[in-house]
Amino acid sequence: MHFNESRLSALERRYKARLINSLSGFKSANLVGTVSAEGITNLAMVSSVFHLGANPPLVGMIIRPHSVTRDTLENIETTGVYTLNQVSASFWKQAHQTSARYDAETSEFYATGLGEQFREGITAPFVEESALSYALKVAEMTTLAVNDTVMVIGEITDIFVEDIAVMEDGYIDIETLDTVAVSGLDAYHVTQRLGRLAYAKPDLPTRCLGDDE
Amino acid sequence: MHFNESRLSALERRYKARLINSLSGFKSANLVGTVSAEGITNLAMVSSVFHLGANPPLVGMIIRPHSVTRDTLENIETTGVYTLNQVSASFWKQAHQTSARYDAETSEFYATGLGEQFREGITAPFVEESALSYALKVAEMTTLAVNDTVMVIGEITDIFVEDIAVMEDGYIDIETLDTVAVSGLDAYHVTQRLGRLAYAKPDLPTRCLGDDE
């Protein structure tokens, strides 16, 4: 099946959104926790969180400024801090429900029943049900000229994770935590590990690591 | 388990890289196909491809300019075009092997045995084994001030996908194609769908779509 430029541009709007959203591959599922100047908490589902670098520890995400996530963006601008909370199989439906267009006075914590958790020294709220969550301070916010979406880059200040998932070499086994992956606009998946692979070298065959050998 | 800023900054370099790379959640697995001005093809594994928008159809990716992916970046700068090829369970080890530091004269297609495929009107090579691949033209390349990585944004011009995976509503069932997900630096996973969820509304309970009901 081949979609070329003219066929792509002729597609019905929703069909095209589902198609293009499927192309990047599996996506991360995270809830962004923020709080407004008035103290109203907010929770928003994002599938665009991506690793940017370990030194300093940075992640990026894309936010649409005129959509349901506008409150998130405003809260981040105002307070400079936010949390990211990995979504797991035990609360994927509640996580998805946060994407409904609640009014600015309604906290998505309240609306979906997810647990609101505050931790010492961190203004933004965490999701109690999440087995891996972290706090960030804003490092950069840029409006992308190509389509007016906003890229938010955050520096990680605090990580909270269940002990059992942190391997000896630093790798976090997020599959053990039942972290879900997203495809397209609305599909959620659990995973089965094929294996971990050793650092690749030109003169060596591909080799599995540890338990996967 | 809690890592705060001082504990994070004291971590051993490789441990920290594995830890931070695990935070964003599941990542996409894609091979970037490019060709140099001299006609040498290149294939590089990237796990940072993210959806940016459907109208126009855009995806972004992060490339480290001084690493093994420097040839990819140079080829994209020179030719203005590249391909993205979803990695599936049938060739995940070969895909990982492309991340070895081959010299600029060696094509990773040749080194790993992956099939090089050219398509009419598109200069960049495709991966024959990939069940979902697409061609892009560069829309924007930006060096991020926070850590000197390069964000490459491309506009999708041509999509090639197996018919069977394209659903009636435009969603591509990438699980059917055995597309893999990545966690951390080196772990690969296949998936099992939990379900697709209907567009969320404030006054309605979360609802599964179609077959998943």
Side-chain angles (χ1 to χ4, degrees):
Chain A
M1 207 158 169
H2 176 203
F3 296 88
N4 61 17
E5 278 188 279
S6 65
R7 196 168 162 198
L8 276 178
S9 63
L11 292 175
E12 184 269 325
R13 199 182 62 89
R14 296 298 301 167
Y15 183 102
K16 189 176 178 185
R18 293 192 196 92
L19 185 82
I20 301 298
N21 263 283
S22 306
L23 295 185
S24 49
F26 285 105
K27 299 185 264 196
S28 53
N30 289 284
L31 286 168
V32 193
T34 57
V35 64
S36 71
E38 294 76 31
I40 302 168
T41 56
N42 187 291
L43 210 46
M45 183 76 177
V46 285
S47 61
S48 65
V49 171
F50 55 92
H51 173 79
L52 251 180
N55 261 311
L58 299 168
V59 298
M61 64 179 178
I62 304 295
I63 302 274
R64 260 151 256 285
H66 305 300
S67 75
V68 64
T69 44
R70 69 194 176 292
D71 294 335
T72 296
L73 205 56
E74 203 177 302
N75 293 348
I76 293 176
E77 271 172 342
T78 308
T79 64
V81 294
Y82 56 108
T83 68
L84 285 173
N85 306 267
Q86 284 193 5
V87 174
S88 68
S90 64
F91 63 98
W92 65 289
K93 288 187 181 179
Q94 285 161 291
H96 182 80
Q97 187 61 29
T98 64
S99 63
R101 197 177 284 272
Y102 297 105
D103 56 55
E105 285 70 44
T106 306
S107 167
E108 286 79 7
F109 282 102
Y110 172 80
T112 65
L114 287 167
E116 185 178 284
Q117 185 175 26
F118 283 96
R119 281 167 162 145
E120 210 190 318
I122 302 167
T123 335
F126 289 87
V127 176
E128 206 176 346
E129 288 81 355
S130 179
L132 197 179
S133 54
Y134 45 106
L136 306 101
K137 56 183 178 196
V138 175
E140 195 185 311
M141 288 178 81
T142 317
T143 298
L144 301 178
V146 287
N147 68 353
D148 287 332
T149 54
V150 178
M151 179 171 60
V152 179
I153 298 175
E155 181 168 347
I156 295 154
T157 58
D158 292 88
I159 306 171
F160 300 90
V161 56
E162 286 183 14
D163 298 35
I164 194 174
V166 184
M167 302 291 103
E168 220 170 84
D169 68 353
Y171 169 67
I172 305 178
D173 184 355
I174 62 174
E175 185 168 287
T176 292
L177 302 176
D178 286 331
T179 297
V180 299
V182 174
S183 71
L185 277 169
D186 51 31
Y188 295 82
H189 310 253
V190 287
T191 61
Q192 259 187 305
R193 192 161 75 185
L194 293 168
R196 289 183 66 190
L197 295 179
Y199 188 82
K201 294 191 171 176
D203 50 347
L204 286 178
T206 320
R207 194 172 55 82
C208 283
L209 276 181
D211 294 345
D212 301 314
E213 239 156 342
Chain B
M1 206 160 172
H2 176 203
F3 296 89
N4 60 16
E5 276 188 280
S6 65
R7 194 168 165 200
L8 275 178
S9 63
L11 293 175
E12 184 268 326
R13 198 181 62 88
R14 296 297 301 166
Y15 183 102
K16 188 176 178 184
R18 292 192 197 92
L19 186 82
I20 303 297
N21 264 281
S22 306
L23 295 185
S24 49
F26 286 104
K27 300 184 264 198
S28 53
N30 288 284
L31 288 168
V32 194
T34 57
V35 64
S36 73
E38 295 76 30
I40 301 168
T41 56
N42 188 288
L43 210 47
M45 185 76 177
V46 286
S47 61
S48 64
V49 171
F50 54 92
H51 173 80
L52 252 180
N55 260 313
L58 297 169
V59 298
M61 64 179 178
I62 304 295
I63 302 273
R64 262 152 254 286
H66 305 299
S67 76
V68 64
T69 43
R70 68 193 177 290
D71 295 335
T72 297
L73 205 55
E74 203 178 303
N75 293 348
I76 293 176
E77 270 171 343
T78 309
T79 64
V81 294
Y82 55 108
T83 67
L84 284 173
N85 306 265
Q86 284 193 3
V87 174
S88 68
S90 64
F91 63 98
W92 66 289
K93 289 187 180 179
Q94 286 161 289
H96 183 80
Q97 187 61 30
T98 64
S99 63
R101 198 177 283 271
Y102 297 105
D103 57 53
E105 284 70 43
T106 304
S107 168
E108 286 79 7
F109 282 103
Y110 172 80
T112 63
L114 287 168
E116 185 178 284
Q117 183 174 27
F118 283 97
R119 280 166 164 149
E120 211 189 316
I122 301 167
T123 333
F126 289 87
V127 176
E128 207 176 344
E129 288 81 355
S130 179
L132 197 179
S133 55
Y134 46 105
L136 307 98
K137 57 183 179 195
V138 176
E140 195 182 313
M141 289 178 81
T142 317
T143 298
L144 302 177
V146 286
N147 68 353
D148 288 332
T149 53
V150 178
M151 179 172 59
V152 180
I153 298 175
E155 181 168 347
I156 296 154
T157 57
D158 293 88
I159 305 170
F160 300 89
V161 55
E162 286 182 14
D163 298 35
I164 195 174
V166 184
M167 302 291 101
E168 221 170 83
D169 68 353
Y171 169 67
I172 305 178
D173 183 356
I174 63 174
E175 183 167 286
T176 292
L177 301 176
D178 286 330
T179 296
V180 299
V182 174
S183 70
L185 277 170
D186 50 31
Y188 295 83
H189 310 254
V190 287
T191 61
Q192 260 186 302
R193 191 162 75 186
L194 292 168
R196 290 183 66 190
L197 295 178
Y199 188 82
K201 295 192 170 175
D203 49 347
L204 285 178
T206 320
R207 194 171 56 82
C208 284
L209 276 180
D211 295 347
D212 301 314
E213 238 156 340

